Amino acid sequence: MKTKFLIVFMGGVATTILYLSLLGAGGVVESPTGVAPDRYVYYPGTEALDKDEIRLIACGTGLPAARRDQAATCWLAELGNGDKFLFDVGTGSMTNVAALMIPYDFLDKVFLTHLHTDHWGDLATLWAGGWTAGRTKPLRVWGPTGQTPDMGTAYAIEHFLKAFNWDAKTRDFVLSSKPGEISVKEFDYKAVNAVVYQENGVTIRSIPAIHAGDGPVSFILEYAGLKVVIGGDTFPNKWYIEYATDADIAIHETFLTPSDLVKFYGQSPAQAIGVGTQIHTSPPAFGKVMSSIKPRHAIGYHFFNEQGTHDHILQGVRSTYSGPLSLAVDDMVWNITKDRIVERMIVSPDQAWGVNGPNKPPAPPAPGTVPDPISDFIKAGRWEPAEEAQASMVDKFKKDNNLK
Ligand SMILES: [Zn+2]
Ligand SMILES: [Zn+2]
């Protein structure tokens, strides 16, 4: 990260450093027509990563119920070696991912903590959207087993592809089918600190989580001597306490207080106390976890973060933890090195386009090799005046592009 940093967390102690603090927040604007100095923001695609640096982006921090302001869970880790990993791809999160305008070929590795829709509901968007917007290869998905085969990730992906059979078959006719494939690596949800991925100087381990049913896990990513723990959904558990200790970044859910689940989410008190304190982590419990494991920086998420809820969460967390903390919203970004952890917000376009990566798109299928999904009956319904209306545009485009 080449910009001057603004908020620095060092040695477990939060220190706010204003860059040349005498000059004000963003520096001095020298001229009404010149270039402005640094802002407190990250513009995606404008900063190279150092070799030993991790950029972590919150692409979804919300809940299963949709909200424009906060998509459901999704974390993107970008590493200085060029690797990128999506941890969960919850409902609605792909709009935030897409706004980063990263070529889809670089977004082919997805790690699922568990199979609630708020953690993988937008896999469909990554799968089909990436297929149409430049991904040249299959998606790779890692996820846990369940108590029975039908509760595991392999089953989920197999049936995901079956559910989207029509989508796939109609694309296969005009596009290479390769980017529509998904390879699954399922691993034992009970395995403790087991390596589930190891390539290129990156190790990702899994530990069990306690949430709603058997199967959920947390992930521990290690790269360049840095450790980032991605908590998923869980009640505080002994594995997280043991293996997330001394993390550089420890992400852990902190759920709405039972009172706010009743007030804002319309839950009954009986439901709220169960959801908010037994299958999820309450704010004071989150704080207790963090004061036990002492990460360089703690990130709490998985609640609708607004004025009316934020203070209640913060009060609960601060009753048990006084260290460095972010209560995440979508589009927060952290740059992590041995020396510093910098938190900023992302500024990205609402109207993003897919961008090509370096790989050439695979060839579409040769004519006659894939069944035509449109019958003669439907083709016979084409309205000819539409062809006449567009004929000159079509002719010119073909001529300009040497198409037959
Ligand atoms: Zn869940
Ligand atoms: Zn969840």
Side-chain angles (χ1 to χ4, degrees):
M1 191 185 113
K2 300 293 181 234
T3 62
K4 289 85 186 170
F5 49 94
L6 302 165
I7 303 168
V8 184
F9 302 93
M10 284 186 292
V13 180
T15 324
T16 303
I17 296 178
L18 297 180
Y19 169 61
L20 296 179
S21 56
L22 293 176
L23 302 180
V28 172
V29 179
E30 300 281 358
S31 152
T33 56
V35 176
D38 290 337
R39 303 306 196 201
Y40 283 115
V41 296
Y42 167 57
Y43 300 100
T46 64
E47 293 175 13
L49 276 176
D50 288 340
K51 184 88 181 70
D52 295 339
E53 183 172 16
I54 296 176
R55 185 191 292 126
L56 174 71
I57 299 177
C59 298
T61 56
L63 291 163
R67 167 177 274 207
R68 196 171 353 168
D69 187 51
Q70 275 179 283
T73 303
C74 179
W75 301 96
L76 173 65
E78 300 183 280
L79 276 47
N81 69 353
D83 278 337
K84 300 182 196 299
F85 302 92
L86 284 163
F87 292 95
D88 288 339
V89 56
T91 329
S93 60
M94 276 307 298
T95 46
N96 289 330
V97 175
L100 304 171
M101 295 180 70
I102 295 167
Y104 279 97
D105 262 0
F106 300 157
L107 297 171
D108 65 329
K109 295 183 281 299
V110 182
F111 287 72
L112 300 178
T113 62
H114 66 298
L115 295 165
H116 274 150
T117 55
D118 58 313
H119 295 257
W120 78 302
D122 246 12
L123 184 69
T125 316
L126 174 63
W127 171 71
W131 194 355
T132 63
R135 190 177 62 245
T136 65
K137 50 191 177 181
L139 279 177
R140 302 164 72 189
V141 173
W142 287 256
T145 54
Q147 273 192 317
T148 51
D150 65 313
M151 297 293 269
T153 305
Y155 176 95
I157 297 297
E158 180 191 343
H159 291 265
F160 167 98
L161 289 171
K162 284 182 180 168
F164 291 112
N165 184 51
W166 194 91
D167 187 307
K169 289 272 167 67
T170 53
R171 291 186 208 288
D172 284 348
F173 186 63
V174 287
L175 298 169
S176 164
S177 61
K178 202 95 210 131
E181 296 170 8
I182 304 179
S183 73
V184 189
K185 294 217 171 97
E186 196 179 70
F187 55 85
D188 181 4
Y189 74 91
K190 285 182 177 164
V192 177
N193 207 32
V195 172
V196 296
Y197 177 97
Q198 195 156 46
E199 289 177 31
N200 239 347
V202 184
T203 302
I204 298 174
R205 298 168 196 274
S206 147
I207 52 174
I210 301 176
H211 168 64
D214 273 33
V217 297
S218 298
F219 291 111
I220 300 162
L221 179 149
E222 288 164 298
Y223 171 72
L226 298 168
K227 178 157 113 176
V228 176
V229 182
I230 299 99
D233 287 3
T234 190
F235 184 81
N237 68 72
K238 62 179 184 181
W239 303 290
Y240 194 97
I241 296 296
E242 181 169 357
Y243 295 102
T245 291
D246 296 330
D248 294 277
I249 294 272
I251 303 170
H252 195 292
E253 63 145 297
T254 177
F255 220 65
L256 290 162
T257 61
S259 304
D260 282 348
L261 281 168
V262 172
K263 183 178 170 191
F264 294 117
Y265 224 42
Q267 295 192 348
S268 69
Q271 190 185 359
I273 200 73
V275 170
T277 69
Q278 298 306 308
I279 62 169
H280 288 289
T281 294
S282 69
F286 168 93
K288 185 71 183 168
V289 168
M290 291 306 164
S291 58
S292 304
I293 67 166
K294 296 184 174 53
R296 279 174 71 200
H297 192 78
I299 300 176
Y301 84 107
H302 214 324
F303 63 96
F304 281 162
N305 194 338
E306 64 192 45
Q307 195 71 43
T309 59
H310 180 278
D311 287 359
H312 299 152
I313 304 265
L314 187 63
Q315 279 166 11
V317 172
R318 286 307 186 203
S319 71
T320 48
Y321 174 63
S322 58
L325 172 73
S326 306
L327 294 178
V329 293
D330 290 12
D331 283 336
M332 264 187 181
V333 56
W334 298 262
N335 286 72
I336 305 141
T337 63
K338 282 275 186 207
D339 304 327
R340 62 183 197 272
I341 295 173
V342 181
E343 177 188 300
R344 292 175 292 172
M345 291 299 295
I346 286 174
V347 175
S348 58
D350 282 347
Q351 297 170 330
W353 291 93
V355 291
N356 289 336
N359 299 328
K360 277 221 164 70
T369 58
V370 174
D372 187 343
I374 305 186
S375 68
D376 290 343
F377 169 79
I378 291 297
K379 281 178 185 161
R382 293 174 69 86
W383 186 54
E384 280 311 314
E387 291 288 14
E388 289 160 27
Q390 66 187 13
S392 65
M393 182 191 78
V394 169
D395 287 347
K396 182 174 186 312
F397 184 84
K398 283 183 169 173
K399 205 170 142 211
D400 290 351
N401 291 281
N402 293 320
L403 298 173
K404 282 188 202 128

